[in-house]
Each structure stands twice: as C-alpha cells, then as structure tokens.
C-alpha cells in the first residue's frame, strides 16, 4: 500500500512538505503543491487523515477546487477561505479539477467550495447531498444542497460604462472572456444595454473573443492595431486581458488613454500599478464568506439562498476625458 513516504520520495520532497501541501498550508509553492497532488492521484494515495475519516465516517476539512493558475485573484480568495477555516478549526484542502471529484465525499471532506469553469454542473449535482454541501462561486445551480455566491456583474459594469460614455467616448470594442460563463454574459449584456441606452451603434465584428488570460488580451489588441481598427475604448471582461491589451498597444506605439482607453474587471494586483480603470471585486471577503457559508451549512444552518456580492468602480488613468474643456465640470 502506498504511503506518504512513497509520495514524498517520488516528489523529491520531505514528508512534512507532502502533509503541508495536502492540508493547504501556505508554506508550499504552487508548483510543488500541484506536483504532489498529481502524484497522489497517480499513486492512488489517500492521506492518513482521509484514512481516519473513512473509518469514522466524519471529516473536518473544507475542499477548495480551482484550476486556472493564471489568475492571481485566486490567492486572495484562498486567503479568505483559509482564515475563516482556521478560525473555526477546519482544515483546508486545495484540489484541481482532475482530482477533485474523488475527494467530494463526506467521509473525506466536510464540504466543497468550487470556482472552476471546467467542473461540470453534473459533477456537483452528483456529489451534493444532505451530508455533503457545496458552495459554488460565479454560477447558480438549482440544487437544494448547493449554495451559490455570485458577483453583481451587471450594475457596476453599467455604472462604469455610462461613466466612460459621459466622458465623451463613442467608438467601442468589447473583449469577452469564456462565453460559457455567467460572468461574461452579464458583463457583455451590461455593455450592450449601455450602448443601446446612449444610441451608440455596436457591430458584432467589434466583439473579440478571449479566455480571461493576459495572452488573449494581448492578441486581440495586436489584431486591432494590425487591421487598423483601433477603437476609442476597449472594454475588457477582466483585468488580465486588459493588461495584455495595454502592453500590446504600448508595443505598437499607442498611448493609453490618449490614443485608446482600456477598462477591466476584477481589480487584480497589477491593475493599480498599470493605472487600469476597473470594477473592484472584494475577493478576500468573497473567499471568507464562502467558507463562512459552507461551515454554517455543515453545522446545521440550511440557508441555501443565493448570495450576491456587490462591487465598486476604480477610476484610474487608463480612461481619459474626451469632452471639450468647457463641458468638463
């Protein structure tokens, strides 16, 4: 039978490092953690704590599932989850999509928080039951054992874009994220509604498809510059793509915002340094509230109503003011 020493030897690390990785400790780097989790899956190793849980039928561990290591805001969410879990005597286990489902069992973990577009609804619906609650971020599922926590994407996006229009901008492009996500749909709908309200024409050819990663924003901006179709402002569905677009524009000799304005969504760590106008999502608080909701349900509070989190706008230098001076208040 494979033991923790075998995993440690295969990974080239100490037994304590394997233990820390499996329990979500902060003193293990992401690359090492991912390597350990992958080896545990390949070697069919269940941690000792899991073995004890199999015997007792109980657990005191929160499982967090995500898989997109390109998006830095996950770290703030994990910090929020971990702080609440530690304060309430719960351990935290972090899993990727590929290996997560095997740990979504009440005798291994107490419940799961997931923020992963790659995890299908059918997986969560299959795992969730009276003894195994799930909190899902950024989507809503019709299941009595799954609680949804979502961001109010629409209202702050409308407010930000109306502010951009009020500053004199009229030629817009939209850079979307994964079209299958509720986030992208809500942000794009807000964009379309603001365009319609202000009688600003928008053609679908000015919609660019991205994947929330910086590289896709860079590529979209390069396409705009090469085709000679640079708008007055590009509205990006998240900050990573906006930062990639800004870098591409700068490489092409375009100034932000004098030649092209850029907006994002999330308020990631680099947004302030880049001077990016964006919508700020309180990600630490989002993780903290997710853990709080899950622990409450585990302890018998059956409040499964969808929780919607508000967001605020951060106006920075990536959006200027195109109005004549005598019109600026």
């Amino acid at each position: 039978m494979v033991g923790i020493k075998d995993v440690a030897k295969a990974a080239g690390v100490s037994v304590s490092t394997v233990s820390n990785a499996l329990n979500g400790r902060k003193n293990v780097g992401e690359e090492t953690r991912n390597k350990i989790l992958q080896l545990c899956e390949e070697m069919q190793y269940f941690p000792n704590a899991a073995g004890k849980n199999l015997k007792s039928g109980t657990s005191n561990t929160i499982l967090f599932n995500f898989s997109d290591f390109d998006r830095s805001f996950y770290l703030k969410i994990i910090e929020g989850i971990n702080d609440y879990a530690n304060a309430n005597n719960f351990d935290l286990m972090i899993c990727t999509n590929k290996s997560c489902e095997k740990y979504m069992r009440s005798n291994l973990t107490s419940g799961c928080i997931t923020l992963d577009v790659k995890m299908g609804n059918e997986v969560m619906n299959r795992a969730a039951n009276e003894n195994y609650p799930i909190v899902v971020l950024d989507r809503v599922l019709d299941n009595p054992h799954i609680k949804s926590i979502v961001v109010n994407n629409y209202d702050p996006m409308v407010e930000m874009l109306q502010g951009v229009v009020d500053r004199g901008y009229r030629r817009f492009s939209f850079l979307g994220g994964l079209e299958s996500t509720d986030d992208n749909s809500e942000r794009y709908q807000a964009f379309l509604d603001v365009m319609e309200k202000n009688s600003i024409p928008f053609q679908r050819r000015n919609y660019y498809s991205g994947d929330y990663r910086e590289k896709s924003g860079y590529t979209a901006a390069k396409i705009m510059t090469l085709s000679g179709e640079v708008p007055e402002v590009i509205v990006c569905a998240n900050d990573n793509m906006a930062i990639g677009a800004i870098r591409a524009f700068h490489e092409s000799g375009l100034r932000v915002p004098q030649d092209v304005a850029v907006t994002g969504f999330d308020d990631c760590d680099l947004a302030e340094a880049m001077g990016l106008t964006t919508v700020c999502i309180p990600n630490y608080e989002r993780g903290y509230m997710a853990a709080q909701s899950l622990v409450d349900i585990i302890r018998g509070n059956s409040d499964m109503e969808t929780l919607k989190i508000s967001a605020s706008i951060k106006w920075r230098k990536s959006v200027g003011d195109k109005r004549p001076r005598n019109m600026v208040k």
Side-chain angles (χ1 to χ4, degrees):
M1 182 177 293
V2 174
I4 192 170
K5 292 182 179 179
D6 299 306
V7 176
K9 182 178 180 180
V13 299
S14 67
V15 170
S16 62
T17 298
V18 175
S19 177
N20 288 335
L22 293 175
N23 285 285
R25 308 295 186 203
K26 295 181 180 180
N27 59 348
V28 181
E30 287 300 322
E31 184 177 349
T32 301
R33 187 190 311 279
N34 294 337
K35 181 179 180 180
I36 290 170
L37 292 175
Q38 181 65 33
L39 284 170
C40 286
E41 180 180 2
E42 292 174 357
M43 300 172 71
Q44 294 294 299
Y45 169 69
F46 287 88
N48 287 338
K52 293 176 182 178
N53 291 335
L54 283 170
K55 293 180 180 179
S56 66
T58 61
S59 172
N60 210 39
T61 302
I62 289 174
L63 179 66
F64 177 60
N65 162 237
F66 80 114
S67 64
D68 191 348
F69 298 96
D70 188 56
R71 303 178 69 185
S72 61
F73 73 81
Y74 281 107
L75 297 178
K76 292 182 179 179
I77 293 174
I78 292 171
E79 184 181 0
I81 294 172
N82 189 61
D83 283 355
Y84 189 86
N86 283 341
N88 287 271
N89 299 314
F90 276 77
D91 292 322
L92 175 63
M93 178 186 291
I94 299 175
C95 252
T96 59
N97 172 265
K98 188 174 181 181
S99 59
C100 186
E101 188 175 1
K102 69 171 66 175
Y103 296 109
M104 295 170 72
R105 297 159 51 190
S106 60
N107 56 356
L108 296 178
T109 56
S110 304
C112 178
I113 300 170
T114 181
L115 178 55
D116 185 357
V117 296
K118 296 178 182 178
M119 176 168 282
N121 293 347
E122 68 281 357
V123 174
M124 285 182 281
N125 284 323
R126 184 165 58 244
N129 57 61
E130 185 177 357
N131 297 315
Y132 195 82
I134 293 176
V135 172
V136 60
L137 304 178
D138 289 354
R139 71 177 111 170
V140 177
L141 296 182
D142 185 16
N143 186 307
H145 307 297
I146 298 177
K147 182 180 179 71
S148 296
I149 298 180
V150 297
V151 174
N152 181 357
N153 292 286
Y154 184 87
D155 291 337
M157 189 68 150
V158 166
E159 183 182 348
M160 180 176 67
L161 294 180
Q162 186 60 53
V164 173
V165 171
D166 292 344
R167 286 163 170 76
Y169 290 90
R170 291 296 181 272
R171 290 191 298 107
F172 286 76
S173 288
F174 187 90
L175 174 54
L178 297 172
E179 295 191 14
S180 61
T181 63
D182 292 342
D183 282 349
N184 187 72
S185 298
E186 292 171 10
R187 294 168 194 179
Y188 183 49
Q189 187 59 55
F191 171 82
L192 292 176
D193 289 349
V194 172
M195 296 299 101
E196 181 179 3
K197 177 183 176 182
N198 292 276
S199 301
I200 298 174
F202 178 76
Q203 297 180 342
R204 180 68 185 187
R205 66 186 180 86
N206 292 319
Y207 180 104
Y208 294 82
S209 295
D211 60 6
Y212 289 129
R213 295 171 181 263
E214 185 176 321
K215 184 178 180 181
S216 65
Y218 179 92
T219 300
K222 279 293 187 182
I223 292 172
M224 293 177 195
T225 57
L226 291 172
S227 64
E229 295 187 353
V230 177
E232 290 181 338
V233 55
I234 175 172
V235 177
C236 302
N238 84 330
D239 287 350
N240 280 4
M241 295 190 297
I243 289 168
I246 290 174
R247 287 179 171 160
F249 288 140
H250 285 168
E251 284 185 11
S252 300
L254 296 175
R255 300 166 301 166
V256 176
Q258 293 90 338
D259 299 317
V260 55
V262 181
T263 69
F265 204 109
D266 285 336
D267 200 26
C268 70
D269 290 340
L270 274 178
E272 185 173 4
M274 299 286 286
L276 178 64
T277 291
T278 188
V279 173
C280 177
I281 298 175
N283 282 309
Y284 172 87
E285 291 80 2
R286 186 158 59 137
Y288 193 93
M289 293 167 69
Q292 183 180 42
S293 295
L294 184 59
V295 169
D296 282 349
I297 297 166
I298 292 168
R299 290 175 172 172
N301 183 348
S302 58
D303 176 16
M304 305 301 287
E305 293 295 320
T306 296
L307 178 62
K308 183 165 284 192
I309 298 175
S310 60
S312 58
I313 300 165
K314 298 290 186 182
W315 290 102
R316 299 190 179 110
K317 64 182 182 180
S318 69
V319 174
D321 199 321
K322 297 178 70 66
R323 294 172 295 178
R325 289 185 179 275
N326 61 354
M327 294 182 62
V328 178
K329 296 182 180 179

